[in-house]
Amino acid sequence: MSGYYDIEIMPAPLAQVRRLGEEYVDIRNASNPQIKLNVVFHYIYEGKGVFRVNNKEYHLRAGQAFVIFPNTLVHYEPDKEQPWHYRWIEIAGTGAGHLMESIGISPEEPVLWQDKADAVGGALAKMTIQLKEGATGYKITALFWDFINEIAKICDAGLPDAPARDVYVSRALNYIETYYWKQPHVNEIASFLGIDRTYFNRIFRQKVGISPREYILNHRIRIAIEFLRNSDSGIEHISKSVGYEDVHAFSKAFKKKTGMSPGTYRKQHKNGGIMS
């Protein structure tokens, strides 16, 4: 049996349960590529399949999970021989995405790989069963935070201790500040550090507050601003100096961060201080 159950929205400004569902999915009713408006967490109880997002393909099986972030095109389908049985939870609110990231699941790594995640599946099943039995919205909200806590415990269990994390992040920052002009990829930095990409994303975000990818972009724009304010180099030269071969792509990225084109920024800030 498949289905879902609507939940009355309870007062909670940042993240709240919107729906819970359970599905037995075979290849005949697999999803088409789609975009969700809210965060949707899927935990796989049986079977295996493929989850595709951001030009990546994840092969997932029972005991693992995947998360769909808002406004992201995804496609997922079960294996022909071993179709999926999963439960899902839709999380609404402006802080839903940040909540997932704070416990270790991000748009860059939207999967829970650990095989020993039974407690996560158990917490999600408990919510679904309680709701079917008529539990109040407040009861479901309490169970939701138990569920979030189980995810956090699973993600934290694989992290290095705090001193090691600080060393990894410090080395990563030095690497970025040295090779920003080469457009370093997250995989490249994780390989340099000798740690898993998922771990690296998580400890970097916890320490710095943003993802490695965003930090790299910010640093490249920061250096470009120094050039614009303190040199007479042309825009195209500056673009290449910070790793953009295409000056139009550079201008677009610069404007997205600063609100103005490189040329306009230079006119308004020539010989001023650098961006904080």
Side-chain angles (χ1 to χ4, degrees):
M1 173 181 284
S2 300
Y4 67 83
Y5 310 91
D6 284 312
I7 296 173
E8 178 185 0
I9 297 291
M10 306 306 294
L14 296 180
Q16 54 196 317
V17 184
R18 182 65 184 88
R19 286 180 179 174
L20 290 164
E22 179 176 9
E23 297 185 44
Y24 293 82
V25 187
D26 61 33
I27 198 65
R28 291 171 298 179
N29 57 1
S31 72
N32 293 317
Q34 56 187 282
I35 295 175
K36 302 289 189 181
L37 297 178
N38 296 315
V39 168
V40 186
F41 181 104
H42 295 71
Y43 183 88
I44 304 165
Y45 293 86
E46 296 177 285
K48 59 183 181 179
V50 179
F51 174 55
R52 299 184 181 91
V53 61
N54 297 328
N55 297 315
K56 296 180 184 177
E57 184 171 283
Y58 301 92
H59 292 264
L60 303 171
R61 60 181 183 273
Q64 298 176 334
F66 61 94
V67 176
I68 301 173
F69 282 82
N71 304 313
T72 303
L73 183 66
V74 300
H75 181 220
Y76 48 103
E77 62 184 38
D79 181 76
K80 292 181 180 179
E81 303 299 325
Q82 300 180 53
W84 271 334
H85 163 215
Y86 56 61
R87 288 187 173 95
W88 53 265
I89 176 171
E90 181 180 350
I91 308 169
T94 56
H98 178 71
L99 174 63
M100 283 291 109
E101 294 178 29
S102 71
I103 59 174
I105 302 177
S106 68
E108 293 84 11
E109 289 294 331
V111 296
L112 187 63
W113 289 110
Q114 287 85 342
D115 290 321
K116 296 180 179 179
D118 294 349
V120 175
L124 184 52
K126 186 175 182 179
M127 269 192 289
T128 307
I129 293 168
Q130 289 281 315
L131 184 61
K132 289 170 69 175
E133 294 177 350
T136 64
Y138 289 107
K139 174 66 173 178
I140 296 301
T141 297
L143 293 174
F144 167 66
W145 290 108
D146 288 341
F147 163 73
I148 292 296
N149 184 54
E150 293 298 343
I151 299 174
K153 286 194 291 186
I154 290 293
C155 292
D156 286 346
L159 289 174
D161 59 29
R165 295 184 217 179
D166 290 347
V167 171
Y168 287 140
V169 172
S170 177
R171 291 179 63 199
L173 291 173
N174 287 335
Y175 190 94
I176 292 168
E177 290 166 9
T178 302
Y179 296 109
Y180 66 89
W181 54 274
K182 293 175 63 177
Q183 303 183 57
H185 293 285
V186 175
N187 280 340
E188 174 188 335
I189 301 172
S191 178
F192 166 74
L193 297 174
I195 59 176
D196 180 78
R197 173 193 167 121
T198 304
Y199 289 165
F200 172 54
N201 263 301
R202 196 175 305 146
I203 63 177
F204 191 96
R205 187 183 291 274
Q206 288 178 345
K207 184 70 175 179
V208 181
I210 57 177
S211 70
R213 182 179 178 182
E214 187 175 355
Y215 184 90
I216 293 167
L217 175 59
N218 287 351
H219 188 71
R220 292 164 73 193
I221 297 301
R222 185 191 302 274
I223 298 299
I225 283 175
E226 291 189 41
F227 276 120
L228 290 169
R229 284 179 162 175
N230 303 306
S231 81
D232 295 318
S233 297
I235 303 299
E236 186 171 356
H237 175 78
I238 293 173
S239 170
K240 291 181 178 180
S241 296
V242 295
Y244 287 92
E245 291 298 323
D246 183 348
V247 69
H248 298 294
F250 166 65
S251 295
K252 183 177 180 181
F254 189 94
K255 187 171 184 179
K256 185 175 181 179
K257 283 292 181 182
T258 67
M260 62 187 74
S261 69
T264 301
Y265 192 96
R266 166 171 270 169
K267 289 177 182 177
Q268 294 186 11
H269 300 87
K270 189 75 167 70
N271 297 320
I274 66 171
M275 181 176 69
S276 60

